[in-house]
Amino acid sequence: MSRILFVLLTCLLKLSVQRSYPEDDSYVAAVLEFQVSISSTLALRDYVDFIKVAADKNADIVVFPELTLTRGGYSTIPIKGLLLDYPVPALNPEFYDEFLIEISNAARVNSIYVVINVQERVDCTVPTEEVCPEEKIYFFNTDVVFDRNGAVIDRYRKINLFGEPGRTPALSPELGIFETDFGVKFGHHICFDLMFQVPSIQIIEKHNITDVIFPTMWFSEMPYLTAVQIQQAYASSMNINFLASGANNVRIGSAGSGIFSGKAGALTSIMPGVPTTELLIAKVPKIPGQVTEPISGPIYNSPAEQDSLRLIVDPSYPAHITRELTEGFQEFILTDKQVSCQFSVKLNQRPGTQNYKYRAAAFDGVRSFTGVATGGNRVCSVVACTGDTIDTCGTRFPVFAENTTAIFEELTIVATVPTPVIDQEVQARDSAFFPLSLDIYIMPLKPQEFTYYENEYGNVTIYNLTLNNYDAQLYSFAVWGRVFATDGDIETPPVEVPRTDSYVAAVLEYTVPSSSAVALPDYVNYIKEAADQKADIMVFPEMTLTRGSEAVNVPIHDILLEYPIPALHPELYDDIIVSISNASRSNRIYVVINVQERMDCTVTTNEECPEDIVYLFNTNVVFDRNGAVIDRYRKINLFGERNRTPALTPDLGVFETDFGVTFGHHVCFDLMFQVPALQVVEKYNLTDVIFTTMWFSEMPYLTAVQIQEGFAYSMNINFIASGANNVGIGSAGSGIFSGKAGALVSTMPGTATTQLLVARVPKVPGNVTEPPLGPIYDDPVNHDGLVLITDPSYPAHITKELTPGSHNFTLKNNEVSCRFTVTIARRAGDRHYKYRAAAFDGIRSFTGVATGGNRVCSVVACTGDTKDTCGQRFPQYAENTTAIFEELIITATVPTPVFDPEVQARNSAFFPVSMEVSIMPLEVKDFTFTENIQSNRTVYTFTLKNKHARLYTFAIWGRVFATDGKEESPPAPDSSSIHFLNYLILPILFLIQFYSHYVIISLDHSQFMINI
C-alpha cells in the first residue's frame, strides 16, 4: 500500500511540476534574446521575470546571454570557497551579492535550472581559495549555473576573450560541464570560444557531450559568421543540441539566438534586425536530431529590418582565390594550397534594376578575427557581391530591395581537404568543417533546403554541399572550416587587392551667383576641374544653382525610372539637369547638386501628391559616372524657406558608388536633427556623409566649419561639406573631414570666395596615411566682414566669470553637471576678451525657426563683463585680445544617449566644438575628447593641449532630440535681452537673399555688395 501511495505521489508531483525526468526522451529548454539593458538593476528584474515565464512554460532550463546582467558591475563566484559550504546563495544572502542571491532565489522558487553570464571579480590581494598567479584583482567573463534548488553547481570562465580589455582569460582552460536531474549532461562555453578547438570541440569530443549551452554577444560577420548561421552549422556538424542565448544590440551587430538539434536544425531561432527581447522555448530530444513532433522553427524578420543590423565583413575575403559567376551553367575547380573546390552552378538573375553579382571562392590560409586573433581557415564558397570587384563581396546593399539575389537552378560545392586528425593532447580533432548558408533574412537555410555529407578517403575528406531549394535568396553558400594548428600565425595577405583604401572627393566653396545662367557654366567647369584632379565625387553647395523662383523637375519615381540619363534624353528634362548629367558623364565623375525642385501635382504623375498643387522642395540630386540620376533627397528640416515644403515623407538620402563607398546625404539645417543627421549614419551604419549647405554661422557654438568638424569627429565619419559663400549674410565654410583625423582640407573665408577643395579620403574614417592639406586659414581681420549671429539661448546658460588665475569648480543645470579646471592669464595688450564658464540643459531657439533640446558645458569669450556680451567678437580684430589658457579641462556628466528604436538612432548626441580667432575649430592635435559611459550617465572630457590657442570657444555641445519643438528656456537671472535682435536680423537677411538679386547695404559708412 505504501509503495502504491509513493508511486501516486511521485506521479502527482511530476504532473504538478511538469519537469522532465531521466527516463523521458526529451526536455524543455528556454533561451532569451535580450535587448541590452542600460543598467544591471533593470536587467536583474527582467531576468527574474523571464525565469518565472520560462518555468510557467514548463522549461527545465533557461539560458541568458553574455554580459547583459552585470553591465558595468561585477559578481563574485567563490565556487572553491564559500560556495562549497553554502551552495545556495538565496539561503545565505549575507555571503553573496545581489546577482547571485536574486537568481538563486528565482531558480529555487521556480524549480528550474538557470545559466547566467556575469563579469566575475576575484580579489587576489586578500587570502582566497582561488588560484592567484599575482596579488591583484582579476576580472573574468564567467558563466554561472544554478540548479532547481538555487545552488550554484558550476562556473566556467571564458578562455578566448574577444578583446575585452580589463578582463583576463581563464587562468587554466577548465571546461564548463554540469549534470541535471533530467538525465542530461551539459557543456557550456561563451561567444568567441566557439571559434576555437578548446573549448568548443574539446568539450564535445573529450567528454562525449551531446548538449551544449552558449551565452553570447556575437558580432555578426558576413558572409560566413552571422550569429544564427554559425550556431545552426555548429549544431549540425557536431550533431549536438545547442542552446544559444544572444544579447541584442543591433547597432553594434549583436543579435541572434536559437535552440538547435543536430541535423534537424533550428527547433526555434531568431535573428532580429531591430531591438528585440524574446524568450524562445522548445522541447529538445535527448538524441540530437530525433525530432518527433512539430517544431516552431525559425522566426523570420522582414529583410528590410535587417538594414539596421550592423554587419561587418570577413577581412580574409580579399585573400580568397575567386572567380566571377556568370549567367548560365558553369562547372570548374578552384584550388588554394591543400583545398580543392569543385563548383557546379546554373545561375540566372531575377528581373530588377539592382542585382547582386556572385563569386565562387577557395581559401586555405590564416584569417583575422577583426584584429583580435588569427586562426586557420579553409573555405569553398559562393558569395554575393554588391559590385564587380572582390572588395564588394560579403556585403549587403544598404537598403533591401526585392529580386536582387540570383536564382540558382543548380548549386553544388564539393570541397576536398586534409582529413581532420585527433589531437591527442586535447582529445579533439585538429580541424572542423561546417555547412554554412545565409539568405536575405540573415538566417541559414532550413535543413530540407540543402544536403550535406562527408566521405573520408584516407588522408583526404570530401564534403559535398548541394542546394535543394532553387527559390532560396542566397547571400552565401559554403563549406567553411577551422584549422586550429595555424592559430596565432600571421594572416594571409590579399590575393586581389581592393581597388584602393581611399577615394578622392571635391567640394566647392562657391560665391552665391545671381542666376543659374551664371552658375551653370561654373558648375560644368568645376566638374571638369575636379575630374582633372582625379576626384571620384564632386559636391556643390545648397541653393547656388537655381536662384529665386527658378526650379527644376526631378521625377525619380516617374520618367527617370525609364530614362535615368538626362544627357541622353534632353527633350524630357530641364536644362540644368541635362547639363549636369552631361558633365558627370563626360568627366566620369559622381556629382551631387542641390536645387529648388518643382513637383506639379495638378497633372498626372507617379510621385506622391497629397494635394493638387505645385510643390517646391529643397532637393539634393545625385548623378553617377554615366550621368544617370541615382538618388534624390528632399530636405526634411527647412530653415524658414516659407515657399517650400519639407519632404512629404522622411526618406533618407543614401546611394552607392562603384568605388565601394555608400554615402548618406542631407542638407544644411538637417544637421541639427536626429532625422536625418543621426539616423542616416546609425540606421545604415554609414561612414561617409555628403552635406550641401548655405549655413548661417552662429557664435559661439555653431559656426560652419566648427560644427562640420565636430559632427565628423563625434560620429567618426567622413563628412564632405560644400558651402555657399555669402559673407554679408553669414554664409561661408566648407571642408572634407575624416572622423577623428579632423579636416583633410577646410576653409572659412571672411571675404567673398570661390574655391575648389580636393582631398584623398580614407575609406576607414580617421585612417589617414598621407599628410593632408589641412585647414586653409584666412586672415582674422577679414572676418570683420563676416556676419556672425549669436546663440539666443546663451542668456539662459548658468555662467561664472573666469578671472586670471586657477579655477576648479562645478556648474549644474538640470541634468547637466559641468566640471571646469582652468588656469587663465591675459596677454599683453590694451583690449581683452573676458571669459565665462557655462552650463546649460534646456531648450534653445534656432533663430526663431525651430526649437531643440540642448546640453552644453562651455568656456566662451565675451566682449564685456556681462553675460549678454558673450559669444561675440569685437567689431575690429586686434592681436593679443584672447586669453592664455595654461590649463583648460571641461568634464560634462550627462544622461547617457539611448537608442531610439523607432528611428534607429540615439536620442541625443554630443560634440567637441571649439573656435579660434580664425573662426575655425582647433586642429585635432590641439585637444583630446573622451567618452566614458557609466550606465545611465556618460562623462565627456574635453582637454586643451595647445596652450597657445587663441580661443573664442571651447565646449562640449549636445543635442537632445526628445524636447524638440517645446518652448525655449527663459533667460537666467543675469542675462540681457539683447539677443532678441537675432530674431530680427536673420529673417531680414534671409528675405533679402531670396527676394533680391543685388542689394547695397551701408554699414559704418562703407558699402558692401551682397550678391544674392
Side-chain angles (χ1 to χ4, degrees), residues 221-226 229 317 356-359 379-385 393-395 405 408 411 413 435-440 442-445 465 467 472-480:
E221 174 192 276
M222 287 184 68
Y224 308 125
L225 294 180
T226 59
Q229 176 186 28
Y317 197 86
Y356 285 97
K357 309 293 179 67
Y358 288 82
R359 282 183 177 263
V379 185
C380 295
S381 67
V382 168
V383 171
C385 313
C393 297
T395 61
T405 56
F408 288 93
L411 179 53
I413 301 174
L436 294 178
S437 59
L438 189 70
D439 65 13
I440 58 173
I442 317 299
M443 291 281 263
L445 297 175
L465 181 62
L467 179 68
Q473 300 185 66
L474 288 177
Y475 288 150
S476 60
F477 196 68
V479 178
W480 188 90

Side-chain angles (χ1 to χ4, degrees), residues 33-36 66 191 216-220 227 246-257 271-276 309-311:
E33 172 85 6
F34 185 60
Q35 185 179 345
V36 177
E66 180 185 19
C191 202
T216 182
M217 183 183 284
W218 194 263
F219 298 102
S220 283
N248 183 277
N249 189 348
V250 296
R251 192 167 70 88
I252 63 171
S254 290
S257 304
M271 184 70 185
V274 294
T276 300
L309 176 64
R310 183 177 184 267
L311 295 167

Side-chain angles (χ1 to χ4, degrees), residues 620-641:
N620 282 348
V621 186
V622 184
F623 301 80
D624 70 10
R625 295 189 202 271
N626 297 313
V629 175
I630 59 171
D631 199 42
R632 176 190 73 187
Y633 166 77
R634 291 169 173 169
K635 189 176 180 181
I636 296 170
N637 303 283
L638 299 181
F639 196 71
E641 308 179 50

Side-chain angles (χ1 to χ4, degrees), residues 56 214 247 268 367 372 430 470 485 513 525 527 723 725 819 894 948:
D56 288 347
F214 184 60
T268 181
R367 63 154 292 167
V372 172
D430 64 354
Y470 303 142
N525 290 335
I527 289 170
N725 182 278
R819 183 74 182 171
V894 298
H948 302 291

Side-chain angles (χ1 to χ4, degrees), residues 30-33 50 53-55 57 62-64 277-281:
V31 301
L32 185 66
E33 172 85 6
F50 279 113
V53 173
K57 294 188 176 183
V62 60
V63 183
F64 290 88
T277 293
E278 186 158 353
L279 188 69
L280 307 180
I281 298 179

Side-chain angles (χ1 to χ4, degrees), residues 713 740 888-891 911-914 922-931 939-946 954-956:
Y713 186 99
K740 291 175 173 52
L888 178 52
I889 303 171
I890 301 176
T891 302
F911 311 97
V913 296
S914 60
L922 293 170
E923 296 183 33
V924 292
K925 62 181 174 59
D926 293 333
F927 67 86
T928 59
F929 182 70
T930 62
E931 174 187 30
V939 178
Y940 297 94
T941 303
F942 196 21
T943 303
L944 179 68
K945 292 170 64 179
N946 180 5
F954 196 74
I956 297 165

